[in-house]
Amino acid sequence: MTISQQLNEKQKKHLWPNHLLYYQDPLPLDRGEGVVVWDVDGNRYLDFFAGILTTSVGHNNQRVNERIHAQVDKMLHSSTLYPNAAHLEYAEMLGKITPDGLDTFYFGATGTDADESAVLLAQVHTGNTEIIALRHGYSGKSQMAMTLTGQSSWRMGPVHIGYVRHAMTPYVYRALGNLDETRYVQACLDDLQDVIQTMTSGRIAGMILEPIQGVGGFITLPDAYLRGAAEIVRAHGGLVIIDEVQTGFGRTGTHWWGHQHSGIKPDIMTMAKGIANGMPLSAVATTADIAQSLVGAGLTVSTFGGNPVCCAAAIGTLEEMMNQYNPDHCAAVGEELEAGLKHLQQKYPIIGEVRGRGLMQATEIVSDPVTKEAAPHLANAVLEAGRQAGILIGKGGMFGNVLRIAPPLSATKEDVAEALQKLDIAFARVQEMA
Ligand SMILES: Cc1ncc(COP(=O)(O)O)c(C=O)c1O
């Protein structure tokens, strides 16, 4: 038995059977260096999914590790009952890159926690209850986050929180009635208006939006939709909550935050994943005014939120992002990735669409580019063939047919060139069987 086989046996025996595992033979990873990882049997892979867009400044990053080690030797934990320097230093630093005014924070341990806290804040501040989310969106695994989520596969069990309503997502590749983008965006905005007017009291607490729906398959919301939605939400008394869990920290290129391409300004913003290069940390950012409405509304505490070791990791991560792996770097390397994937699309008709921004790119896999019939079996085959060729990528989308390509932000143009060669091999193998 190989070490992989032994670990896979233990996984089956000891962990819940509904853990989603990639690959027919699951792949236990052992160690990483930059954008490269090795499995427990010593095989090398380019990591172009970065632990779900989380290893933001590369595996085994020296600066991050040094920060972690220094904090570990001082104190592992204190809880939010006591102010701690790493927590506060990071809050101050993060406030330098968040949009103007959004410099008051709550730190939690997961994206789910951040989205839950953001919704609660919007409810407390507005005095309204109802929340609008988008179909195909993803918010996490608590009851409320599953209710916000707009994909049946991630809504396990009874999902019955009655104050959440879902509006149509501007999924341009699959536009209703094949409308062109401008008309489709308008149709989706009309739907949002209609949902608020017909399915709520008309006075909402807010709307949660991912600038690029991550788990949904990197569905990139058109800028005009984000602008129109923000206007409609505010006209109905709601706050605009932007979920930057996947799109944050420069990943989409040029800007620190994915929504900034559209020019809108959120009232509340959530972030997690890449914030601390893999250490569990999340944050909710808002204005001092909005945060002030929490006074007297009830107390908050988080045992693990703002943990000093995680905050030390976040400080090191942000230093790396500010110094080298900044939004302009992501834009430049992302441009190469996008161009390379578009070139592959010319060669392989199973690639129905290439979409995304910066270092967050997807290919939607179809059996026929004209009918756009989703081909999850081919997407799976590309994932497996990629592994054989030595590259790890992700999967997503309501139909399970979208390949998500999102390396650490520290990826270089040379890494992208190597990745494209490996993906070329994988796509060629699968196109033959299509
Ligand atoms: C956009 C978005 N929001 C929230 C979450 C939930 O984050 P977590 O898994 O850390 O709870 C995720 C996780 O994938 C996500 O993609």
Side-chain angles (χ1 to χ4, degrees), residues 349-411:
I350 59 169
I351 303 179
E353 184 179 56
V354 175
R355 61 172 175 258
R357 270 182 167 140
L359 286 172
M360 191 170 177
Q361 299 287 334
T363 57
E364 176 148 358
I365 307 302
V366 292
S367 48
D368 176 337
V370 178
T371 64
K372 301 183 181 175
E373 191 185 335
H377 62 295
L378 297 179
N380 256 332
V382 176
L383 204 77
E384 295 283 354
R387 174 186 181 170
Q388 296 306 322
I391 182 167
L392 307 184
I393 56 173
K395 221 175 49 149
M398 186 60 239
F399 314 107
N401 70 320
V402 180
L403 295 171
R404 298 194 280 163
I405 301 156
L409 308 179
S410 55

Side-chain angles (χ1 to χ4, degrees), residues 223-259:
D223 294 338
Y225 180 82
L226 280 174
R227 287 193 288 267
E231 207 172 293
I232 292 169
V233 167
R234 288 185 172 127
H236 291 276
L239 299 187
V240 175
I241 305 170
I242 297 290
D243 178 334
E244 294 274 0
V245 168
Q246 296 213 11
T247 47
F249 295 101
R251 178 159 291 279
T252 63
T254 313
H255 302 283
W256 282 108
W257 309 102
H259 71 270

Side-chain angles (χ1 to χ4, degrees), residues 52 109-113 115 138-141 210 214-215 243-246 270 272-273:
I52 326 181
T110 64
T112 301
D113 178 356
D115 281 0
Y138 184 86
S139 286
K141 65 190 293 288
E210 297 165 72
V215 179
D243 178 334
E244 294 274 0
V245 168
Q246 296 213 11
T270 64
K273 290 205 189 290

Side-chain angles (χ1 to χ4, degrees), residues 93-109:
M93 206 177 161
L94 185 57
K96 295 200 164 78
I97 64 158
T98 47
D100 273 356
L102 267 72
D103 55 4
T104 308
F105 302 99
Y106 160 78
F107 290 95

Side-chain angles (χ1 to χ4, degrees), residues 56-72:
S56 47
V57 294
H59 294 277
N60 200 19
N61 180 290
Q62 203 181 337
R63 184 193 292 261
V64 175
N65 290 2
E66 278 168 9
R67 287 269 183 192
I68 291 173
H69 292 149
Q71 183 61 47
V72 164

